[in-house]
């Protein structure tokens, strides 16, 4: 059974801070997704990683396949980054989701 | 980019009635679609995998006779909640995958179902 563990569960930071959210996953997961969910509920896919590192704007995602660990970083955080960030693992099948990190960026 | 739509975005229905939720891939053909649900303050959970032209595969604990899934075309999958009960009230999200493009999934905006 695939498992995905995420930390921290809650994170409050000041605007401008560098944010890191961590995700560990079990054997059998061949691709790791980072998703963003806003209060209305809609899901936005930020990254899908199977190796290395990806960057989009102020967001950076890394994955270490040997350690089965991934991180999502937000540089120069802004209040509009406040959301729930979810890592999810899978492959050809449906995804297994972490419990999410509730991020609040205070101005 | 790949866009997935869901309709309706929210629905309120009475207990005992049925509700159909549509999931469409707007600019690509999705051979595989997934249905997830999310109860308040909980993670998303996979309900079923829907492959075009074949029967859906349901996760353990999901009643296939209650949650009817039809994937009749490469751009449309539907989830029908039959004889809805208040405990079916949840946020339902679909995603679509194009296997030749790898494992990336494209998510719909979700449908909030409230059963009264």
């Amino acid at each position: 059974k695939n498992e995905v563990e995420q930390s921290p569960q809650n994170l409050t930071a000041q605007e401008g801070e560098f944010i890191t959210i961590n995700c560990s996953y079990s054997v059998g997961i061949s691709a790791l997704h980072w998703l963003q969910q806003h209060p209305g509920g809609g899901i936005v896919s930020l990254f899908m990683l199977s190796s290395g590192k990806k960057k989009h704007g102020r967001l950076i995602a890394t994955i270490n396949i040997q350690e089965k660990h991934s991180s999502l970083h937000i540089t120069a955080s802004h209040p509009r980054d406040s959301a729930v960030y979810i890592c999810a693992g899978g492959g050809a099948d449906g995804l297994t989701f972490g419990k999410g990190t509730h991020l609040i960026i205070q101005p | 980019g790949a866009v997935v739509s869901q309709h309706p975005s929210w629905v309120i229905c009475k207990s005992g009635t049925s509700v159909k939720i549509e999931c469409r891939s707007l600019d690509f053909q999705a051979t595989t679609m997934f249905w997830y649900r999310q109860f308040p303050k909980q993670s998303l959970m996979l309900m079923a995998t829907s492959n075009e032209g074949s029967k859906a595969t349901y996760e353990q604990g999901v009643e296939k006779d209650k949650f009817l899934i039809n994937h009749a075309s490469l751009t449309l999958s539907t989830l029908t909640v039959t004889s809805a009960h208040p405990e079916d009230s949840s946020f339902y999200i679909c995603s679509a995958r194009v296997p030749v493009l790898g494992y990336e999934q494209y998510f719909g905006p979700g449908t909030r179902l409230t059963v009264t």
Side-chain angles (χ1 to χ4, degrees):
Chain A
K1 180 184 173 186
N2 290 339
E3 291 184 348
V4 176
E5 297 284 337
Q6 207 176 321
S7 64
Q9 198 170 340
N10 296 285
L11 179 57
T12 299
Q14 294 298 122
E15 183 173 357
E17 286 189 41
F18 182 81
I19 303 298
T20 296
I21 300 170
N22 295 300
C23 180
S24 297
Y25 58 92
S26 64
V27 174
I29 286 175
S30 52
L32 201 291
H33 291 65
W34 280 102
L35 311 170
Q36 182 190 56
Q37 186 173 32
H38 279 281
I43 297 278
V44 174
S45 180
L46 299 175
F47 297 103
M48 191 206 69
L49 293 161
S50 53
S51 64
K53 175 180 174 178
K54 288 189 177 179
K55 183 176 189 292
H56 185 255
R58 294 180 294 106
L59 301 177
I60 304 166
T62 63
I63 190 167
N64 184 317
I65 298 167
Q66 286 73 30
E67 295 184 4
K68 295 184 178 42
H69 180 269
S70 177
S71 293
L72 175 70
H73 305 286
I74 305 175
T75 62
S77 59
H78 190 276
R80 64 174 174 266
D81 298 325
S82 299
V84 177
Y85 292 83
I86 304 167
C87 70
D93 300 324
L95 298 174
T96 300
F97 294 82
K99 293 186 176 179
T101 294
H102 188 190
L103 174 66
I104 298 174
I105 303 297
Q106 294 177 333
Chain B
V3 178
V4 175
S5 71
Q6 268 184 253
H7 178 80
S9 55
W10 60 271
V11 57
I12 302 172
C13 71
K14 291 187 183 298
S15 192
T17 61
S18 295
V19 173
K20 181 185 284 189
I21 302 170
E22 293 185 347
C23 176
R24 292 182 186 273
S25 57
L26 297 185
D27 51 1
F28 67 101
Q29 293 183 327
T31 50
T32 303
M33 288 184 172
F34 302 95
W35 287 96
Y36 301 93
R37 65 180 167 186
Q38 183 181 38
F39 293 109
K41 299 192 184 303
Q42 293 190 24
S43 301
L44 289 100
M45 296 288 290
L46 177 66
M47 297 177 67
T49 302
S50 167
N51 290 298
E52 187 266 338
S54 63
K55 289 185 179 180
T57 303
Y58 291 81
E59 294 299 297
Q60 195 171 8
V62 178
E63 300 173 57
K64 63 180 181 179
D65 295 329
K66 180 171 182 60
F67 298 98
L68 301 179
I69 291 173
N70 184 287
H71 193 162
S73 79
L74 286 170
T75 58
L76 174 65
S77 176
T78 60
L79 168 69
T80 301
V81 183
T82 62
S83 188
H85 288 158
E87 56 263 32
D88 298 324
S89 298
S90 185
F91 190 60
Y92 293 86
I93 302 175
C94 70
S95 72
R97 188 172 77 88
V98 182
V100 294
L101 297 182
Y103 299 132
E104 187 142 18
Q105 293 190 22
Y106 304 95
F107 288 85
T111 297
R112 187 162 302 282
L113 170 64
T114 302
V115 184
T116 61

